[in-house]
Amino acid sequence: MTPDQEFEIMRLVLDKFLWLGFIIMAFGLYLMIMAPELMYKGFTMIIAGGIVLILFTILIVKEFEIIKAGE
């Protein structure tokens, strides 16, 4: 498999995890809007979603740099 093909497969898989982070953040926002008494829970969900997004973004960048360096 070529490095470009490997990167495309990795990108497709990790894209799903990035969507997961976005959904977690959206659910946290939903909780904050619909149940203001549970605002801390919604805020915690937003922070967790942000952490997921940051971790997987770092992973994508690191893998992309490895593939580019190997060319």
Side-chain angles (χ1 to χ4, degrees), residues 9-19 56 59-60:
I9 290 171
M10 180 198 65
R11 189 175 59 87
L12 289 171
V13 170
L14 291 179
D15 184 51
K16 305 305 182 253
F17 287 108
L18 294 174
W19 271 108
F56 284 109
L59 184 62
I60 288 174

Side-chain angles (χ1 to χ4, degrees), residues 17-58:
F17 287 108
L18 294 174
W19 271 108
L20 178 66
F22 174 75
I23 290 170
I24 292 170
M25 290 179 78
F27 181 67
L29 181 62
Y30 171 79
L31 285 177
M32 288 177 72
I33 291 171
M34 298 307 285
E37 65 276 358
L38 296 176
M39 187 170 282
Y40 69 92
K41 197 172 196 178
F43 187 70
T44 303
M45 293 292 284
I46 290 174
I47 297 298
I51 291 171
V52 168
L53 286 173
I54 290 169
L55 287 175
F56 284 109
T57 301
I58 290 170

Side-chain angles (χ1 to χ4, degrees), residues 3-4 66-71:
D4 287 335
I66 291 171
I67 289 173
K68 288 301 244 187
E71 289 183 339

